[in-house]
């Protein structure tokens, strides 16, 4: 894996962790965040795991 891809992957994981932290602080489940934001729950889950680009 190229260094740039590794950095991008690490960044996505960090962003996903922050989103998960803020979601939990607000008391939202992935399902409730999905309903409030209009974003599919699977997409939210993938973002939180750093598997999807935002």
């Amino acid at each position: 894996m190229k260094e740039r891809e590794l950095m991008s992957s690490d960044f996505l994981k960090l962003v996903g962790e922050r989103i998960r932290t803020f979601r939990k602080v607000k008391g939202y489940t992935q399902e409730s965040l999905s309903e409030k934001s209009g974003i599919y729950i699977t997409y939210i889950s993938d973002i939180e795991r750093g598997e999807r680009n935002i």
Side-chain angles (χ1 to χ4, degrees):
M1 183 178 287
K2 295 179 182 177
E3 184 177 339
R4 183 178 176 136
E5 291 173 358
L6 182 59
M7 288 174 45
S8 176
S9 174
D10 291 343
F11 177 75
L12 291 177
K13 287 179 183 177
L14 287 172
V15 170
E17 289 172 7
R18 294 287 292 184
I19 290 171
R20 178 182 291 124
T21 298
F22 285 121
R23 174 179 60 78
K24 289 184 175 186
V25 165
K26 289 289 191 179
Y28 296 155
T29 62
Q30 287 182 343
E31 183 176 9
S32 64
L33 179 59
S34 172
E35 291 170 1
K36 290 178 184 299
S37 66
I39 299 171
Y40 288 109
I41 191 170
T42 53
Y43 191 67
I44 291 172
S45 175
D46 289 347
I47 290 172
E48 287 186 357
R49 290 192 318 272
E51 295 179 1
R52 293 285 294 266
N53 195 351
I54 39 180

